């Protein structure tokens, strides 16, 4: 596998030139500066490239092992690499200083996350889940729980997990059966949990002192359905009053999954209460566990999108390096590397353009998160949150779907060498394939966008984004040599606006509204993803053209213009076809009956 080099130059382009470091102007970030951010990116790149990335292939080959005592041994070097991450203070980079973190903007934390996931996706899952646990506990935990658990989670001494899924309760969490029994005779507000959770990422390992599980469960008197679910904190080791670790809690790793990819990430079946019950503590309000867990899930969904982009970036680098090295065939009368063949160039440029576009959109979303959390004006915060709510399902679903396609193209660039494990291209495809599935399948993300998010405000937040797309298209049309890009983006914006109207109209049908949303959701999200990503590449083209007009001869800008041209004139038209899919109606889907014959 070729060495991984974190894409610091492109990250800086997005932060400096597209986003203009506006997050640094928000209240709370007074001590941050562009120079500090650049230093953070460079140091994170060193950690990603020199410490994490070399373990990616070996971790995939070795995998995790469940020991007879129920513990899990990670691949060689993983625990040490995680410790280097924690000791460097990276776990708290985006956490407020009031909670013991570095207090940097979310857009910077997301940039660091992308580098780490590109270096080693399996290892990156550990801090990604911990970040979600911090977010949920900070928002909903009692003062006592925060005081006991947040400092160690923030500094990375302890890691966090999210425990939702059960054998009978996958996407439908109303079926959760894990029980939480009150313990009125015991000291403190304790519960004892009994049940089993499956697919728990980093549910057991030997990289940290303690593991803090956030678990959905029901009290004995809880009603059926979602309203009966509460959220509980269950530590692997109980914590004494002085903060030291006490006895082992009654939570056990029953098995680890043998997966298609991310072999270095221990995905566990956890058993709670094989003996007297796993001691847990209520987080937030009783019966609102699902609501509280969504705080963690929304954090995780954005980061899963970032994760997909990281893997896509590594697939790009891998394919470009191979194409420049592999001599095959002839071009212009001489032996040539495959990078000289136009069909290979088409694949490489497609990979690069898509990855750049996805990155820009995900970091735009992160910047909006910063505004939603920190802007002084309430109306500005609310408007940004509306955009975040629309963008997160797009970032999660569209980025991860595209990452699978990008990694698949990477295999194709390698030809037959891509289909064998030794080159490493296959691992990237295998690893990327989980991202469209977990943290809510991409079909669920599409339903969230086309259903709940559009209906909540009648499409106002998305319409506001389309207005900005059209403004960028206008700038492109007036720019002279970029006019063709503007025409393409204008057409894409019109398609998205028309499709949004169709979905909203269909959703109001009293007879088949819910079915219509289900039928149109996935093509609608795909259309939104293509248009919003093309918008970002249109903005990138304007910035690159301005840099060249200002005298820059940096080849980076010429490459950015090529990627933008491909994105708007060759990739966006493919996505625009989704409008026709929606206009074709839902009758064939509604009438189809699934049979085995």
């Amino acid at each position: 596998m070729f060495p991984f080099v974190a894409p610091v130059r492109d990250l800086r382009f997005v932060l400096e030139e597209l986003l203009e470091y506006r997050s640094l102007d928000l209240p709370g970030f007074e001590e941050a500066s562009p120079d500090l951010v650049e230093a953070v990116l460079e140091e994170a790149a060193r950690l990603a490239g020199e410490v994490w990335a070399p373990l990616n292939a070996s971790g995939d080959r070795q995998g995790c092992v469940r020991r007879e005592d129920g513990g899990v041994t990670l691949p060689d070097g993983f625990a040490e690499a995680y410790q280097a991450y924690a000791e460097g203070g990276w776990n708290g980079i985006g956490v407020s200083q009031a909670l013991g973190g570095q207090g940097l903007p979310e857009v910077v934390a997301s940039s660091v996350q992308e580098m780490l996931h590109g270096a080693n996706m399996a290892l990156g899952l550990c801090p990604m889940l911990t970040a979600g646990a911090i977010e949920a506990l900070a928002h909903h935990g009692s003062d006592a729980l925060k005081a006991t658990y947040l400092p160690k989670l923030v500094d990375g001494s302890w890691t966090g997990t999210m425990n939702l899924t059960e054998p009978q309760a996958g996407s439908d969490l109303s079926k959760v059966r894990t029980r939480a029994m009150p313990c009125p005779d015991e000291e403190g507000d304790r519960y004892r949990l009994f049940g089993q959770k499956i697919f728990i990422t980093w549910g057991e390992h030997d990289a940290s002192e303690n593991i803090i599980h956030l678990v959905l469960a029901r009290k004995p008197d809880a009603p059926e359905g979602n309203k009966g679910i509460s959220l509980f904190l269950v530590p692997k080791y109980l914590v004494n009053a002085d903060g030291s670790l006490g006895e082992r809690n009654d939570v056990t790793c029953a098995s680890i999954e043998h997966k298609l990819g991310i072999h270095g990430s221990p995905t566990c079946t956890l058993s709670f209460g094989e003996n007297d019950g796993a001691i847990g503590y209520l987080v937030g309000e009783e019966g609102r566990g699902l609501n509280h867990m969504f705080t963690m899930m929304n954090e995780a969904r954005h980061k899963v999108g970032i994760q997909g982009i990281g893997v896509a970036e590594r697939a790009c680098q891998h394919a470009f390096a191979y194409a420049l090295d592999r001599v095959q065939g002839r071009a212009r009368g001489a032996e040539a590397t495959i990078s000289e063949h136009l069909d290979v160039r088409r694949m490489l440029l497609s990979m690069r353009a898509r990855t750049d576009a996805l990155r820009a959109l995900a970091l735009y979303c992160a910047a909006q998160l910063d505004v939603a959390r920190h802007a002084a004006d309430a109306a500005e915060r609310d408007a940004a949150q509306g955009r975040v709510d629309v963008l997160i399902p797009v970032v999660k679903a569209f980025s991860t779907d595209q990452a699978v396609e990008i990694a698949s193209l990477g295999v194709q660039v390698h030809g037959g060498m891509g289909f064998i494990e030794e080159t490493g291209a296959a691992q990237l495809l295998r690893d990327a394939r989980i991202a469209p599935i977990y943290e809510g399948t991409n079909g669920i993300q599409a339903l969230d966008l086309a259903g709940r998010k559009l209906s909540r405000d009648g499409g106002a937040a998305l319409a506001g984004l389309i207005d900005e797309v059209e403004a960028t298209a206008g700038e492109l049309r007036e720019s002279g040599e970029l006019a063709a890009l503007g025409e393409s983006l204008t057409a894409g914006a019109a398609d998205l606006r028309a499709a949004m109207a169709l979905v909203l109209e269909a959703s109001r049908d009293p007879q088949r509204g819910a079915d219509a949303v289900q039928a149109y959701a996935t093509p609608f999200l795909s259309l939104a993803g293509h248009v919003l990503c093309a918008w970002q590449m249109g903005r990138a083209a304007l910035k690159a053209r301005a840099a060249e007009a200002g005298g820059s001869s940096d080849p980076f800008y010429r490459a950015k213009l090529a990627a933008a041209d491909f994105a708007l004139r060759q990739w966006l038209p493919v996505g625009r076809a989704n409008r026709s899919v929606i206009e074709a109606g839902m009758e064939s889907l509604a009438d189809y009956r699934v049979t085995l014959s």
Side-chain angles (χ1 to χ4, degrees):
M1 182 174 283
F2 293 99
F4 172 72
V5 179
V8 174
R9 179 67 180 89
D10 202 82
L11 288 165
R12 286 184 55 190
F13 173 75
V14 177
L15 296 178
E16 293 176 16
E17 300 187 53
L18 293 188
L19 299 174
E20 299 176 339
Y21 278 134
R22 284 189 291 271
S23 290
L24 301 184
D25 296 329
L26 294 168
F29 300 130
E30 291 81 5
E31 297 181 10
S33 67
D35 287 344
L36 174 63
V37 172
E38 290 171 21
V40 167
L41 294 180
E42 292 291 346
E43 188 59 25
R46 187 202 64 78
L47 176 70
E50 297 179 12
V51 182
W52 280 38
L55 300 173
N56 195 44
S58 61
D60 179 65
R61 290 191 300 269
Q62 185 178 358
C64 301
V65 177
R66 180 185 177 275
R67 304 189 301 268
E68 290 185 4
D69 63 1
V72 172
T73 300
L74 296 170
D76 294 342
F78 268 47
E80 292 79 5
Y82 174 77
Q83 289 302 318
Y85 163 88
E87 290 168 6
W90 296 105
N91 205 57
I93 186 173
V95 181
S96 70
Q97 292 179 331
L99 295 177
Q102 307 297 319
L104 288 173
E106 178 61 39
V107 73
V108 178
S110 294
S111 299
V112 171
Q113 283 277 320
E114 190 211 307
M115 289 190 260
L116 294 173
H117 283 299
N120 193 323
M121 176 179 168
L123 182 53
L125 280 163
C126 179
M128 190 188 87
L129 270 294
T130 302
I134 292 169
E135 190 79 5
L137 197 55
H139 278 82
H140 306 296
S142 66
D143 290 342
L145 287 178
K146 291 178 186 178
T148 300
Y149 294 96
L150 274 180
K152 294 291 189 179
L153 286 168
V154 171
D155 71 21
S157 299
W158 300 349
T159 61
T161 72
M162 180 165 55
N163 289 245
L164 294 80
T165 307
E166 298 178 6
Q168 79 294 336
S171 300
D172 184 3
L173 293 172
S174 67
K175 306 298 184 184
V176 162
R177 295 177 186 166
T178 298
R179 295 172 295 130
M181 309 298 292
C183 305
D185 299 330
E186 297 185 21
E187 181 180 351
D189 186 19
R190 293 184 170 191
Y191 293 79
R192 289 187 179 269
L193 274 68
F194 300 87
Q196 186 182 84
K197 297 288 184 177
I198 62 173
F199 303 151
I200 309 306
T201 302
W202 282 76
E204 174 60 34
H205 59 84
D206 51 5
S208 65
E209 300 169 0
N210 204 1
I211 304 172
I212 310 306
H213 305 291
L214 292 182
V215 186
L216 293 181
R218 297 179 185 279
K219 291 179 61 177
D221 57 351
E224 293 296 317
N226 291 337
K227 293 183 179 179
I229 300 172
S230 298
L231 181 62
F232 298 87
L233 183 153
V234 181
K236 174 181 175 180
Y237 290 101
L238 300 179
V239 182
N240 297 321
D242 63 359
S244 63
L245 296 183
E247 63 182 271
R248 176 70 186 260
N249 205 356
D250 189 12
V251 53
T252 304
C253 175
S255 65
I256 56 174
E257 305 298 340
H258 301 282
K259 308 182 296 291
L260 177 69
I262 53 170
H263 295 154
S265 171
T267 305
C268 303
T269 296
L270 294 184
S271 179
F272 296 85
E274 289 189 354
N275 297 300
D276 296 327
I279 293 173
Y281 307 90
L282 181 67
V283 177
E285 299 178 44
E286 183 180 328
R288 289 183 57 80
L290 202 54
N291 305 74
H292 299 336
M293 186 65 90
F294 267 104
T295 302
M296 186 176 188
M297 289 178 70
N298 279 330
E299 168 76 16
R301 285 172 174 176
H302 180 255
K303 294 304 178 293
V304 169
I306 295 284
Q307 180 184 86
I309 297 162
V311 177
E313 172 63 36
R314 188 158 195 178
C316 279
Q317 293 187 19
H318 208 274
F320 273 67
Y322 183 81
L324 289 166
D325 180 70
R326 174 66 164 166
V327 175
Q328 192 83 175
R330 301 176 68 84
R332 293 180 291 278
E335 281 193 339
T337 63
I338 61 172
S339 63
E340 294 295 315
H341 303 308
L342 290 188
D343 189 58
V344 174
R345 287 188 183 182
R346 174 189 59 80
M347 292 188 283
L348 293 173
L349 186 52
S350 177
M351 294 172 72
R352 173 48 61 203
R354 295 195 222 188
T355 302
D356 288 0
L358 296 167
R359 173 183 295 118
L361 185 64
L363 291 182
Y364 173 84
C365 179
Q368 291 297 306
L369 272 167
D370 284 328
V371 175
R373 295 168 179 171
H374 298 281
D377 181 69
E380 189 178 0
R381 291 196 303 272
D382 290 344
Q385 188 61 54
R387 291 180 177 182
V388 166
D389 291 342
V390 167
L391 286 169
I392 281 182
V394 177
V395 169
K396 192 279 182 186
F398 191 67
S399 297
T400 57
D401 280 343
Q402 290 294 313
V404 173
E405 291 190 21
I406 291 165
S408 182
L409 279 175
V411 172
Q412 190 70 19
V413 168
H414 283 72
M417 297 300 292
F419 201 67
I420 61 174
E421 294 290 349
E422 284 79 0
T423 60
Q427 182 195 341
L428 299 174
L429 177 57
R430 289 188 288 102
D431 285 352
R433 191 59 191 85
I434 184 58
I437 297 172
Y438 56 21
E439 301 306 335
T441 64
N442 285 357
I444 289 174
Q445 307 304 314
L447 288 170
D448 179 45
L449 174 66
R452 191 162 65 96
K453 298 295 171 57
L454 284 191
S455 63
R456 186 170 62 185
D457 64 357
L462 182 56
L465 285 169
I466 298 172
D467 290 343
E468 293 198 32
V469 175
E470 291 173 336
T472 298
E475 290 184 62
L476 290 164
R477 291 197 308 272
E478 296 169 4
S479 69
E481 67 179 74
L482 301 178
L485 278 63
E487 295 295 339
S488 181
L489 188 57
T490 297
D495 286 337
L496 182 56
R497 197 180 292 278
M500 180 174 69
L502 287 170
V503 172
L504 283 169
E505 180 182 6
S507 69
R508 300 186 187 109
D509 185 326
Q511 301 297 320
R512 305 182 75 177
D515 287 344
V517 170
Q518 286 202 46
Y520 302 148
T522 292
F524 180 72
L525 186 144
S526 179
L527 175 58
H530 278 89
V531 172
L532 294 175
C533 280
W535 167 44
Q536 292 301 313
M537 292 306 286
R539 297 179 64 231
L542 289 167
K543 293 290 186 180
R545 183 68 193 93
E548 290 193 337
S552 174
S553 58
D554 188 344
F556 174 87
Y557 292 115
R558 182 51 43 183
K560 188 64 65 178
L561 283 166
D565 187 89
F566 186 94
L568 275 90
R569 298 210 291 161
Q570 298 194 44
W571 182 45
L572 175 58
V574 176
R576 287 180 54 205
N578 284 288
R579 174 180 175 178
S580 297
V581 174
I582 295 169
E583 290 175 336
M586 57 178 284
E587 284 70 22
S588 60
L589 283 177
D591 295 341
Y592 182 67
R593 293 296 176 265
V594 179
T595 68
L596 293 177
S597 58

